[in-house]
Amino acid sequence: MKASDSPETTLLKGLIAEKERTIELYSSLISGGAQKLVPFRDRHQAHLNELRKYVTVASSPSVAASTAATAKPSLSRLRDLERRAAALRVRQLAGVSPGVAQLIASIGACEAAHAVALPRSL
């Protein structure tokens, strides 16, 4: 992030990095045979695609991969991640443009739904 970035741009870049890590965690479980998680990952990918329309960020796959490798992905971890992310979204709405606020609120609603909809076992 550049020092010249606006607070909204800084927030968006952070959300993009967070979504990349989340997608990597889901992908790790999916590659291990958890096909039930594909729709959840795909919704995060859709969020990422929308966020990228607001700001251009160079993706860093090595950071995402190393985060996923050390995170020991599990359904419990994903559920906690979704719950914490959804709770954070409300605080991220202050001071952003209406379009970005709507996107963040929608993402939070989806994450909250994920937290309760993730399967209990694979």
Side-chain angles (χ1 to χ4, degrees):
M1 310 212 193
K2 296 186 288 186
S4 61
D5 284 345
S6 71
E8 183 171 293
T9 298
T10 300
L11 173 63
L12 288 166
K13 287 180 176 180
L15 286 168
I16 287 168
E18 180 185 329
K19 286 294 169 185
E20 288 172 341
R21 288 188 300 269
T22 300
I23 290 166
E24 189 62 36
L25 288 171
Y26 273 98
S27 294
S28 177
L29 284 171
I30 291 166
S31 68
Q35 296 304 307
K36 292 179 185 179
L37 300 180
V38 170
F40 294 89
R41 184 205 48 205
D42 291 351
R43 284 187 286 275
H44 283 287
Q45 184 64 54
H47 300 158
L48 180 59
N49 295 344
E50 288 302 311
L51 289 164
R52 285 183 173 155
K53 291 179 182 178
Y54 287 88
V55 64
T56 304
V57 177
S59 178
S60 54
S62 60
V63 171
S66 67
T67 300
T70 60
K72 296 179 185 160
S74 68
L75 283 174
S76 175
R77 178 167 166 67
L78 286 175
R79 194 171 291 103
D80 289 343
L81 178 86
E82 297 282 14
R83 194 175 294 117
R84 285 191 314 271
L88 180 61
R89 300 301 169 237
V90 175
R91 295 187 300 273
Q92 293 173 327
L93 298 176
V96 297
S97 65
V100 170
Q102 184 177 13
L103 176 58
I104 292 171
S106 296
I107 289 171
C110 189
E111 290 163 336
H114 284 183
V116 296
L118 277 168
R120 293 288 168 194
S121 64
L122 296 174

